[in-house]
Structure formats: C-alpha cells, structure tokens
C-alpha cells in the first residue's frame, strides 16, 4: 500500500491511486473483522504508524481516532509485558509501540513511562561513558547486546534521536545521556574492516569476541549503524560521528558482489531495496559526498 501511494504520486497515474485505495479498503475490512497483533512489524503499531505517515504525506484523509483509542490500551499492555522481560525489540517488541506513539503524539504519557524504564534498566559504565541493553532475538529468544537496526541498539539510537527532535517531549536530558552513551558503546564494537570486510559485527564483542563480518542490509550491518551515527551526529552536533558515517557508507557502497554483501534478493529488510533506502537517506540529507555515494551504488 505504501509503495502504491508513492508510485501513484511518482507517475501521476490515477490507476495506481485507485489500486492503492483498493488495498487500503481491504486492510480496513480485515482490521474490522480480525484482531491483529500488536507489533510494529506485524500488527497495529506499524499499521497505525503507517496511517499517520500517509496522512502527513496527504495520500489519505481519514478520521480513525475512535478506532485508535480502542487499540491503544491493547498496545500499551503488550508493550509493558515486553518491558517486563527487557524486550526492547524495534520490530517485535516494546520499542515498536513507543515508536508509534512518538509519531502520533510525542507528549503521550506512555512515552515518558517507556523512556523512564529504558533509562533505569540500561547498563551504564561511568568509566567508558557507555550505555547498553540486552534484548532477545531469534526463535530461541537469545539475549545479547545486538547492534542491529532491526533488533538492537542502533534502533534505540534512532528512536532517541526522534524524541530529541520533538519540542513537546519533556525528558530530553535522559534521552541525550542515553543517546551519547549508547553511541559510545556501539563505536567500541568496531572491527578492522580491512580484515573482516565490515566495520561492525551483528552483536557486540563482549559475548562474541571472534568478529564475524556483517552483511550489507537494512536490518543488520554497517548501513544501519552508519545511519544511526549520522542522525546522532546531527542530534548532538558531533561532526566526527557524521564523518565516520560517511566513511562507513562509502565502504558499504563498494561491496558489490555476493561474497561481499551476502545479499541475494531485492527485499527491504534483507535485500537490495533496503540498501538503496539507506543510500537515499544520506543523499536526501544533502551530504556533499552524495554524488560519490550514488555513483558507487
């Protein structure tokens, strides 16, 4: 549905708008007859986030506030259940619900509750000025210090950056402290890219001391980490982090065959579409190096 609305806007052809509206109506009919999950990846948090996004882009005009109010207690209850077991997963856990509320209303009480919780549950190291979280991932829900955008600390950094952009959010000091500490921790996990092929592994080196090259993808690997570095650098006015982000993305753009990228399809999460999205994110931020990145890609 998201693709179709964008494609209709790009082509200016009414048939794609009609097709997008048809899919939209099908989705609404399904939501009225079946209770979806709660998560960002496969439930109401992601669906409602999308509705707000489409309204911002003026692709749709719909009043769904009554429906939202009914669902929000459901979302909060599930998010709190995840928080009880320290599940901060962006796609499947509590962070995805917090992301939805940050989109709809940055002053919503649940966001303050969530930030307070992650602040006190974070592992802080005053010596190294780091902040970190363990979270479960995979079918066996193995807890580790994951770095990824899809399931780890990179997504936490981007979430904190988003909150710091909002003038109506009241806990900026704690967000800023967590952002700086988490970014410091992620940077400590850097490996020798000339030896291993990537700047960062999938998980931290604490429990995985033997580095393993991460693939080039939206979900895991250097592209997500570079985007977090760039956004964090903008948030705290740290040009060193922004320069590091450009260096990492240039290296990622030079990884072009399967042995280097470990990518064999065109999907958004694991495939080439996600890589394109990451590169475009840099280009749209008016980087001076955008032409080089584009040519490399």
């Amino acid at each position: 549905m998201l693709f179709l609305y964008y494609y209709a806007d790009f082509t200016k052809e009414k048939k794609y708008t009609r097709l997008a509206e048809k899919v939209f109506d099908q989705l609404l009919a399904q939501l009225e007859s079946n209770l979806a999950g709660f998560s960002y990846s496969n439930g109401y948090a992601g669906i409602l986030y999308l509705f707000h996004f489409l309204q911002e882009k003026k692709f749709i005009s719909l009043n769904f506030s009554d429906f939202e109010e009914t669902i929000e207690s459901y979302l909060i209850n599930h998010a709190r259940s995840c928080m009880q077991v320290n599940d901060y997963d962006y796609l499947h856990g509590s962070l995805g619900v917090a992301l939805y509320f940050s989109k709809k209303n940055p002053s919503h009480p649940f966001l303050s509750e969530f930030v307070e919780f992650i602040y006190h549950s974070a592992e802080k190291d005053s010596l190294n000025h780091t902040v970190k979280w363990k979270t479960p991932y995979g079918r066996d829900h193995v807890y580790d210090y994951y770095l990824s955008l899809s399931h780890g600390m990179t997504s936490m950094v981007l979430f904190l950056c988003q909150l710091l952009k909002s003038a109506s959010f009241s806990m900026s000091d704690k967000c800023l402290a967590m952002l700086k500490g988490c970014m410091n921790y992620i940077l400590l996990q850097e490996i020798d890219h000339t030896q291993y092929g990537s700047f960062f592994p999938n998980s931290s080196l604490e429990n995985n001391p033997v580095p393993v090259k991460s693939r080039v993808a939206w979900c895991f690997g250097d592209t997500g980490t570079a985007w977090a570095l760039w956004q964090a650098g903008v948030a705290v006015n740290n040009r060193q982090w922004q320069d590091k982000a450009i260096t990492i993305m240039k290296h990622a753009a030079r990884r072009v065959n399967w042995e280097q990228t470990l990518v064999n399809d065109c999907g958004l999460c694991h495939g080439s579409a996600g890589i394109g999205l990451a590169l475009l994110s840099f280009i749209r931020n008016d980087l001076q190096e955008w032409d080089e990145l584009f040519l490399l890609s």
Side-chain angles (χ1 to χ4, degrees):
M1 187 172 71
L2 177 63
F3 168 78
L4 287 170
Y5 274 116
Y6 264 105
Y7 196 62
D9 183 61
F10 174 72
T11 62
K12 308 303 179 187
E13 294 192 29
K14 299 281 187 187
K15 62 181 179 180
Y16 298 118
T17 302
R18 290 194 294 268
L19 186 55
E21 290 171 347
K22 181 179 178 181
V23 176
F24 187 77
D25 290 340
Q26 291 172 345
L27 176 58
L28 288 179
Q30 290 179 22
L31 293 178
E32 289 174 359
S33 59
N34 297 293
L35 186 66
F38 79 94
S39 70
Y40 189 84
S41 64
N42 196 33
Y44 283 119
I47 294 168
L48 293 175
Y49 187 104
L50 175 61
F51 286 176
H52 282 281
F53 181 83
L54 293 175
Q55 280 193 327
E56 282 183 5
K57 298 296 182 182
K58 302 189 185 306
F59 290 147
I60 65 171
S61 178
L62 176 71
N63 184 356
F64 50 90
S65 56
D66 291 342
F67 171 74
E68 260 190 315
E69 290 177 6
T70 304
I71 296 299
E72 284 181 356
S73 59
Y74 171 77
L75 292 176
I76 291 172
N77 287 337
H78 276 279
R80 285 172 175 162
S81 296
C82 291
M83 289 156 64
Q84 288 176 3
V85 293
N86 293 337
D87 181 356
Y88 314 113
D89 194 291
Y90 156 50
L91 289 183
H92 309 305
S94 57
L95 182 56
V97 176
L99 186 67
Y100 154 68
F101 281 108
S102 72
K103 184 69 172 177
K104 181 197 174 185
N105 177 16
S107 59
H108 194 282
F110 175 74
L111 276 178
S112 298
E113 176 187 341
F114 182 76
V115 168
E116 195 73 40
F117 181 81
I118 61 174
Y119 181 80
H120 290 289
S121 62
E123 298 179 43
K124 304 178 183 72
D125 184 338
S126 57
L127 182 63
N128 293 315
H129 305 288
T130 61
V131 171
K132 61 186 178 182
W133 295 267
K134 273 186 177 180
T135 195
Y137 169 64
R139 293 181 179 178
D140 298 327
H141 296 283
V142 177
Y143 280 80
D144 205 344
Y145 301 108
Y146 297 106
L147 307 180
S148 72
L149 171 59
S150 52
H151 307 288
M153 281 178 273
T154 297
S155 57
M156 190 73 84
V157 167
L158 292 171
F159 169 72
L160 293 170
C161 287
Q162 184 163 321
L163 289 184
L164 287 169
K165 291 176 185 176
S166 172
S168 61
F169 189 68
S170 60
M171 301 178 67
S172 297
D173 290 347
K174 289 183 177 178
C175 286
L176 191 59
M178 288 189 286
L179 173 63
K180 291 179 177 178
C182 188
M183 210 63 256
N184 288 339
Y185 180 78
I186 290 174
L187 287 169
L188 287 175
Q189 312 313 311
E190 183 176 347
I191 58 180
D192 185 351
H193 68 279
T194 61
Q195 179 179 355
Y196 297 103
S198 67
F199 277 80
F200 293 92
N202 292 331
S203 303
S204 79
L205 300 174
E206 284 189 62
N207 298 332
N208 308 277
V210 179
V212 177
K213 176 179 70 176
S214 59
R215 63 189 173 200
V216 180
W218 175 91
C219 53
F220 277 87
D222 285 352
T223 52
T225 307
W227 184 233
L229 266 167
W230 177 262
Q231 289 287 0
V234 171
V236 303
N237 195 27
N238 186 323
R239 185 65 213 187
Q240 186 177 359
W241 288 358
Q242 292 174 272
D243 290 342
K244 184 73 172 180
I246 296 169
T247 299
I248 294 170
M249 284 300 291
K250 284 183 176 180
H251 181 265
R254 293 187 180 98
R255 295 167 65 181
V256 294
N257 57 42
W258 187 87
E259 289 77 13
Q260 295 169 330
T261 65
L262 305 180
V263 171
N264 58 10
D265 61 29
C266 60
L268 177 64
C269 191
H270 307 107
S272 55
I275 302 169
L277 182 65
L279 285 167
L280 285 170
S281 297
F282 277 79
I283 292 168
R284 286 170 178 163
N285 276 269
D286 298 324
L287 297 186
Q288 294 178 355
E289 294 84 355
W290 76 268
D291 52 345
E292 184 178 350
L293 280 170
F294 185 75
L295 290 170
L296 285 169
S297 67

